[in-house]
Amino acid sequence: MIPRSLLFGRGLALSHAFSNQNASTVHQQLSMTAWNLRSSLRNIRTLSLMSLWPFNVKPRDFSLPNASWRPEMSKAYEYYNALCEIEGDEKRRLWRKLPSYNRVLKYTTGGVYLSKIIQSKARLFTRNIKEPGAAFEYVVFMNKQEKRCVCVFQAGHLLEGPPGHVHGGAVATMIDSVMGTLAGYMSGPVMTANLNINYRSPIPLGSVVLLHSALDRVEGRKFFVTCRVTSTDESKLHTEATALFVSVNVGHLFGTRF
Amino acid sequence: MIPRSLLFGRGLALSHAFSNQNASTVHQQLSMTAWNLRSSLRNIRTLSLMSLWPFNVKPRDFSLPNASWRPEMSKAYEYYNALCEIEGDEKRRLWRKLPSYNRVLKYTTGGVYLSKIIQSKARLFTRNIKEPGAAFEYVVFMNKQEKRCVCVFQAGHLLEGPPGHVHGGAVATMIDSVMGTLAGYMSGPVMTANLNINYRSPIPLGSVVLLHSALDRVEGRKFFVTCRVTSTDESKLHTEATALFVSVNVGHLFGTRF
């Protein structure tokens, strides 16, 4: 896991416990999207960390049920949520629900690209729409022992690509996020090096689908992950994908090694 | 090109001319994201077309300069826009700027997934944020003769993935959109069958990049397209991608052939 001193060092404090759930979410949010982060981070001149949320205020978990969820979404959520509660011993539980926030630990980039005011407004791409149900509604359930996870995803009306159907980029976004969450949960911070997607059948806007992601194999720092997007009854295959993630030293993210 | 009668038939009228520019934008917006659209469209029970915008109101072109554009974005825009105006004879112009709207021709899906009210709120994924500069700011310039296009893209603060950098899914979204626009411009409506992306270097949030897309080859209904995402001076490679698009009979989109 990520050393807490690295993640939240340098004068940064969080008021609530750094639980496993929080750690996995940080993994999710730190999931990188490029092979070579180090060279880019060389451009960072002024480095400071900002908190994920105001101190003493508990962050909102956006993966909890809300009024926009369709019955199919709620049903799938309840199914996997029940799996999380089968065993009382937390350490032996196979399934865990991961929380999901709308902010990422932020760097100032020395004013090169964004002002600090704009940076303070930065939001995670998949959680940047405030209206419930309008864009990405999703929740990830992790099974570390079996090296796999399932995401329940309801696609809102602001994700349109083809008429009445979800944009291929929105599908790619969910696939990258879910696969990166799995790889990050197994290894610590990762970057996406390759993403290869086969679109089999379009996803109608407003429908609920499952993303089944599994860790295929590990070769040194390389994590090979697969993903299948299906209907909730798994009878219909919408999309298939493979990805390569590379684990990175967390120091790279925080500017300690360049 | 798409037969006008199919696109805007069935009692639908548009107040402005159906120019080449409008045609290409429709191609862009109709760019499909799955191999098998027909099977999905079989679920459509009640079919009706809705206008892109209220009659007699000119739609807003979101690819025009606004106050959120950084000087680097404006400079790249002006460079390619000037290329569009080199020759006076419209038919011989090498470069064309494509307009970009925020709505797609919409189907009702028979109430299976979305109410008509929700459908009326549907927005193109890449144009679903109202605040200028907050998400995707982009403009596509097309060179049909050379079978390539260039997109100038400024990534806003709502596209965050890794701290301070653009989400891999947002990059994939732009790549899919630009490549699909090119394939659609050359062939008519297309669907994305495969998208293969190599992330080389992360894109800092707020920065401006170019997407260079080219039609590699055509095999029957298959269009093989490449894309490179670079810094505006083209000295730095951020992302490389290939994609396979498949042309579809426009009748499939409008339910006339099933």
Side-chain angles (χ1 to χ4, degrees):
Chain A
M1 293 299 173
I2 308 171
R4 184 176 179 177
S5 58
L6 274 174
L7 272 178
F8 301 118
R10 303 191 182 204
L12 182 71
L14 290 174
S15 61
H16 51 279
F18 185 64
S19 67
N20 280 340
Q21 282 196 328
N22 284 332
S24 63
T25 304
V26 171
H27 289 177
Q28 175 181 351
Q29 294 179 337
L30 292 183
S31 175
M32 298 289 94
T33 53
W35 185 282
N36 185 359
L37 181 66
R38 187 186 301 182
S39 61
S40 173
L41 289 178
R42 286 200 185 103
N43 294 326
I44 297 174
R45 299 198 175 93
T46 305
L47 190 70
S48 69
L49 296 179
M50 299 172 70
S51 67
L52 282 162
W53 42 82
F55 298 151
N56 299 320
V57 175
K58 193 173 180 181
R60 177 183 164 191
D61 178 2
F62 286 84
S63 65
L64 294 174
N66 66 56
S68 78
W69 284 21
R70 295 169 54 84
E72 198 176 356
M73 177 87 177
S74 300
K75 187 179 175 185
Y77 173 86
E78 287 162 10
Y79 173 80
Y80 285 101
N81 207 40
L83 293 180
C84 297
E85 296 167 355
I86 283 180
E87 296 189 53
D89 182 354
E90 189 165 329
K91 289 182 180 176
R92 294 180 57 204
R93 281 193 313 189
L94 283 182
W95 289 91
R96 293 172 188 276
K97 174 193 165 297
L98 304 187
S100 175
Y101 309 119
N102 70 345
R103 307 192 70 177
V104 181
L105 283 170
K106 293 187 295 300
Y107 282 91
T108 59
T109 51
V112 176
Y113 296 111
L114 289 177
S115 71
K116 290 186 179 180
I117 293 172
I118 296 292
Q119 283 191 56
S120 70
K121 294 165 65 182
R123 293 292 180 276
L124 186 68
F125 181 45
T126 54
R127 297 292 188 194
N128 67 8
I129 303 278
K130 288 183 179 176
E131 184 187 349
F136 298 98
E137 286 288 337
Y138 65 96
V139 51
V140 177
F141 294 92
M142 184 66 65
N143 186 325
K144 188 173 183 180
Q145 189 168 320
E146 297 177 359
K147 299 175 182 176
R148 68 188 180 100
C149 69
V150 173
C151 172
V152 187
F153 168 41
Q154 176 179 297
H157 57 270
L158 295 186
L159 305 184
E160 194 172 36
H165 292 78
V166 183
H167 195 290
V171 178
T173 297
M174 282 308 301
I175 287 174
D176 183 42
S177 295
V178 173
M179 295 171 110
T181 296
L182 175 62
Y185 198 91
M186 304 306 293
S187 75
V190 294
M191 300 187 299
T192 316
N194 175 262
L195 187 59
N196 193 343
I197 304 173
N198 286 312
Y199 296 93
R200 305 293 186 193
S201 175
I203 299 172
L205 218 54
S207 60
V208 181
V209 295
L210 299 180
L211 289 87
H212 312 264
S213 184
L215 179 62
D216 187 41
R217 66 186 193 281
V218 180
E219 295 177 4
R221 293 170 53 220
K222 296 180 181 176
F223 290 73
F224 296 85
V225 184
T226 64
C227 188
R228 297 172 70 249
V229 184
T230 71
S231 55
T232 53
D233 64 3
E234 303 186 31
S235 65
K236 183 164 194 167
L237 177 65
H238 289 288
T239 322
E240 284 180 305
T242 60
L244 165 61
F245 294 89
V246 178
S247 65
V248 294
N249 188 309
V250 73
H252 294 167
L253 308 181
F254 290 83
T256 59
R257 300 266 177 116
F258 59 89
Chain B
M1 294 299 172
I2 308 172
R4 184 175 180 176
S5 58
L6 274 174
L7 272 178
F8 301 119
R10 304 190 182 204
L12 181 71
L14 290 174
S15 61
H16 52 278
F18 185 64
S19 65
N20 281 339
Q21 282 194 327
N22 285 331
S24 62
T25 303
V26 171
H27 289 175
Q28 174 181 351
Q29 294 179 338
L30 292 182
S31 174
M32 298 288 93
T33 53
W35 186 281
N36 185 358
L37 181 65
R38 185 188 302 183
S39 60
S40 173
L41 289 178
R42 285 201 185 101
N43 293 326
I44 296 173
R45 297 196 178 96
T46 307
L47 189 69
S48 69
L49 295 179
M50 300 172 70
S51 67
L52 282 162
W53 42 83
F55 298 151
N56 298 320
V57 175
K58 192 173 181 182
R60 177 182 164 192
D61 178 2
F62 286 84
S63 66
L64 294 174
N66 65 56
S68 78
W69 283 21
R70 297 170 52 83
E72 198 177 356
M73 176 88 175
S74 299
K75 187 178 174 184
Y77 173 85
E78 286 161 11
Y79 173 79
Y80 285 101
N81 207 40
L83 292 181
C84 297
E85 296 167 355
I86 282 180
E87 296 188 55
D89 181 356
E90 190 167 327
K91 289 183 181 176
R92 292 180 59 204
R93 281 193 313 189
L94 283 181
W95 289 91
R96 292 173 189 275
K97 174 194 163 297
L98 304 187
S100 175
Y101 308 120
N102 69 345
R103 307 192 70 176
V104 180
L105 283 170
K106 293 186 296 300
Y107 281 91
T108 59
T109 50
V112 176
Y113 295 113
L114 289 178
S115 70
K116 289 186 179 180
I117 294 173
I118 295 292
Q119 283 190 57
S120 70
K121 293 165 65 181
R123 293 292 180 278
L124 185 67
F125 181 44
T126 54
R127 298 293 187 192
N128 68 8
I129 303 277
K130 288 183 179 175
E131 183 187 348
F136 297 97
E137 286 289 339
Y138 65 96
V139 51
V140 177
F141 294 92
M142 184 66 64
N143 186 326
K144 188 173 184 180
Q145 188 168 321
E146 296 176 359
K147 299 175 182 176
R148 69 187 179 101
C149 70
V150 173
C151 171
V152 186
F153 168 42
Q154 176 180 299
H157 57 271
L158 296 185
L159 304 184
E160 194 172 38
H165 292 77
V166 182
H167 195 291
V171 178
T173 297
M174 281 308 302
I175 287 173
D176 183 42
S177 296
V178 173
M179 295 171 109
T181 297
L182 175 63
Y185 198 91
M186 304 305 294
S187 75
V190 295
M191 302 188 298
T192 314
N194 174 262
L195 188 59
N196 193 343
I197 303 174
N198 286 312
Y199 295 94
R200 305 295 186 190
S201 176
I203 300 172
L205 218 53
S207 60
V208 181
V209 295
L210 299 180
L211 288 87
H212 312 264
S213 186
L215 179 62
D216 186 38
R217 66 186 193 279
V218 180
E219 295 177 4
R221 294 170 53 220
K222 297 180 181 176
F223 290 72
F224 295 86
V225 184
T226 63
C227 188
R228 296 171 69 249
V229 184
T230 70
S231 54
T232 51
D233 64 2
E234 301 186 32
S235 65
K236 184 165 193 168
L237 176 65
H238 289 289
T239 323
E240 285 179 304
T242 61
L244 165 61
F245 294 89
V246 179
S247 66
V248 295
N249 188 309
V250 72
H252 294 168
L253 308 181
F254 291 83
T256 59
R257 300 270 176 113
F258 58 88

